[in-house]
Amino acid sequence: MKKYMFLGIFGALVMACATNPITGKQNLNFVSNSELFPTSFQQYSTFLSENKVITGTADAKLVENVGFKIKAAAEKYLTYLGQSQYLKDYRWEYKLVDNKEVNAWCLPGGKIVVYSGILPITQNESGLATVMGHEVSHALANHGAQRMSAAQLQQIGGAVLDAATTNKSAQTREIFSQAYGMGTEVGVMLPFSRSNESEADKIGLTLMAIAGYNPDDAIAFWTRMSAKSGGSGTPEFMSTHPSDATRIANIKALIPEAKAIALKVGTIK
């Protein structure tokens, strides 16, 4: 029985791996866009109805303008990659929301929210493009679906462990369960999240460059973000995000590639 369970899980993993057109990587993904997007769009509508959306101001217009440029850059880049149909089901929106939290996000399918609290740190259009390019990249790379799939796999692994230790004592099973939970969180889930963040930084720089912004400006933004946090926080190995120093160093190394791709693809006029 256990043998067939493991074979079934292995088969599911093989079938669930798909190549993402913008990264060129095979990723674990149990959730299709046709399943994910309707829920995403509904969540976005609900969020907007429950929060104060800022409209008609210079900041709101800036968010829309930068959002349009990042969208156009994504379309141009995917066309260059021969994947112009990839965005056919996206329903782009860019909203500024009155919230003091330093945050922004993009739901699957291109639904973007920028909190007003991050604007003092973005400071200018290129700073905002850094943020929005990064968040859009999470959606383009299907990171939301990947995290959902990884969480499902983590649960499946826990069930397999539970079945494999059925004949053990309750105390032994609890020890195995706790070790599995901590091990998969620190050894798999958190590194996976940090990898997603670094991948979004890389794609975001490319979109930023194609959109006509200077990706060098991303360094200034992340430096300001680091100053805002005081350079302190959770140790990197326990965090979902790379440390500020790691992120800035990675971005500096990735900028030449982003500029080179933008030269090949062409920039948004």
Side-chain angles (χ1 to χ4, degrees):
M1 176 66 73
K2 293 176 185 176
K3 175 183 177 182
Y4 292 121
M5 184 183 295
F6 283 114
L7 288 174
I9 293 171
F10 178 76
L13 288 175
V14 172
M15 292 181 66
C17 286
T19 302
N20 183 276
I22 201 163
T23 65
K25 296 178 181 178
Q26 277 205 324
N27 300 119
L28 181 69
N29 192 346
F30 294 123
V31 188
S32 68
N33 286 347
S34 62
E35 297 173 290
L36 191 59
F37 283 10
T39 301
S40 171
F41 297 162
Q42 181 58 52
Q43 288 177 339
Y44 188 74
S45 295
T46 300
F47 176 86
L48 294 182
S49 70
E50 295 175 350
N51 290 270
K52 182 180 178 182
V53 178
I54 300 172
T55 60
T57 68
D59 286 337
K61 291 176 182 177
L62 182 62
V63 167
E64 290 183 0
N65 184 51
V66 173
F68 177 81
K69 289 182 179 179
I70 294 296
K71 165 189 173 288
E75 291 172 343
K76 194 175 184 71
Y77 188 30
L78 281 157
T79 298
Y80 169 79
L81 294 173
Q83 301 288 344
S84 59
Q85 291 300 304
Y86 182 67
L87 298 175
K88 66 182 178 64
D89 294 323
Y90 273 60
R91 301 292 180 265
W92 297 93
E93 284 189 67
Y94 338 96
K95 301 295 184 182
L96 177 63
V97 168
D98 186 12
N99 189 309
K100 293 181 180 179
E101 186 178 344
V102 178
N103 198 13
W105 42 265
C106 178
L107 290 178
K111 301 295 188 179
I112 304 165
V113 162
V114 175
Y115 289 176
S116 58
I118 203 172
L119 297 182
I121 301 175
T122 59
Q123 290 189 359
N124 51 47
E125 188 170 343
S126 61
L128 186 58
T130 301
V131 172
M132 295 181 74
H134 172 89
E135 297 304 333
V136 165
S137 295
H138 278 306
L140 296 179
N142 283 338
H143 287 161
Q146 288 175 36
R147 283 193 292 272
M148 290 172 63
S149 300
Q152 290 176 28
L153 189 60
Q154 187 183 34
Q155 291 176 348
I156 292 170
V160 171
L161 176 64
D162 187 61
T165 57
T166 301
N167 297 326
K168 305 291 184 181
S169 69
Q171 182 179 14
T172 299
R173 295 180 73 186
E174 180 64 21
I175 290 172
F176 272 108
S177 178
Q178 290 180 356
Y180 172 79
M182 179 61 74
T184 55
E185 190 67 20
V186 175
V188 180
M189 299 299 284
L190 291 177
F192 179 70
S193 293
R194 291 195 295 273
S195 174
N196 281 176
E197 287 298 317
S198 297
E199 191 167 71
D201 283 341
K202 180 179 181 179
I203 300 168
L205 289 170
T206 299
L207 296 181
M208 187 180 176
I210 295 171
Y213 299 103
N214 184 353
D216 288 319
D217 293 340
I219 298 171
F221 167 76
W222 287 112
T223 300
R224 292 193 295 272
M225 279 289 286
S226 178
K228 172 69 176 178
S229 67
S232 60
T234 306
E236 183 169 336
F237 78 96
M238 288 292 290
S239 176
T240 57
H241 290 58
S243 69
D244 293 336
T246 297
R247 167 168 259 152
I248 292 170
N250 288 344
I251 286 173
K252 287 180 178 178
L254 290 168
I255 285 173
E257 182 181 354
K259 290 180 176 178
I261 292 174
L263 282 175
K264 295 177 182 178
V265 176
T267 57
I268 303 300
K269 303 300 183 181

